[in-house]
Amino acid sequence: DTAVSQTPKYLVTQMGNDKSIKCEQNLGHDTMYWYKQDSKKFLKIMFSYNNKELIINETVPNRFSPKSPDKAHLNLHINSLELGDSAVYFCASSQGQGNTGELFFGEGSRLTVL
Amino acid sequence: AQTVTQSQPEMSVQEAETVTLSCTYDTSENNYYLFWYKQPPSRQMILVIRQEAYKQQNATENRFSVNFQKAAKSFSLKISDSQLGDTAMYFCAFIYSGAGSYQLTFGKGTKLSVIP
């Protein structure tokens, strides 16, 4: 049973489209995250939610909107996709507010914008 | 703001040999954790080892051990008896453990290839 699962794992789409990536964790964790990994493998946090409340919102275009319907789910919706949005997006979760740093990651969703 | 630097973009090691990956970090905080995460070709990030800054003893996990030098702000990872399955990107990471919101800061990674 996968602890942190993301769908879809691969997504190819045209510029200007809107797409969503879903994430679910079955670990009972309170905090969930979205990270972006660019083509050079650099990982950067985008958002963090604790008990459905936004606690970290890095400098991310407002075309990106996270939604947490409950503490086990954190979805990422992207409007008006641009070429620069091509990346691997990782969902992760942690117990508490993550101050022990032990994150459990999903397998990533590779987004390709053409 | 904290920064994490991995100065070796790529490394290789013969199977069964030992390799050390370097990491330095910059922070003015006293309470924090340091980590090494592994990302194999399958993409999934996996925690390899964790070190609490207040502990002087270096963390070990089977074939993986760290050399934590707090004054020098250095946190290297040693992999002993390297195996083909160790081939992966390795990321050093830092998190401040005091009050406030918690953000894991990653280095840019080191690509390790284990050669048969």
Side-chain angles (χ1 to χ4, degrees), chain A:
Chain A
D1 215 12
T2 306
V4 181
S5 59
Q6 299 178 224
T7 54
K9 290 188 172 38
Y10 297 93
L11 189 52
V12 180
T13 188
Q14 300 286 334
M15 272 176 57
N17 284 349
D18 303 339
K19 290 293 178 186
S20 292
I21 307 172
K22 295 185 177 181
C23 179
E24 176 181 5
Q25 55 95 4
N26 62 7
L27 298 166
H29 287 165
D30 294 331
T31 306
M32 296 185 72
Y33 311 80
W34 279 108
Y35 278 83
K36 179 180 179 180
Q37 187 175 42
D38 62 24
S39 58
K40 295 182 179 176
K41 301 289 188 181
F42 186 55
L43 270 159
K44 189 164 167 46
I45 192 166
M46 300 173 69
F47 302 102
S48 173
Y49 271 74
N50 176 258
N51 279 320
K52 302 194 298 174
E53 287 195 21
L54 182 67
I55 56 172
I56 294 175
N57 182 0
E58 287 298 296
T59 307
V60 175
N62 56 16
R63 298 181 295 104
F64 290 78
S65 51
K67 283 189 171 48
S68 182
D70 55 61
K71 71 176 191 177
H73 295 84
L74 180 62
N75 303 323
L76 183 65
H77 188 74
I78 316 170
N79 289 328
S80 304
L81 278 156
E82 300 177 356
L83 294 176
D85 297 332
S86 295
V88 180
Y89 292 86
F90 285 95
C91 177
S93 71
S94 67
Q95 190 60 270
Q97 288 202 26
N99 59 324
T100 62
E102 186 164 358
L103 270 58
F104 292 78
F105 284 84
E107 292 180 345
S109 298
R110 181 180 292 279
L111 171 65
T112 302
V113 182
L114 303 175

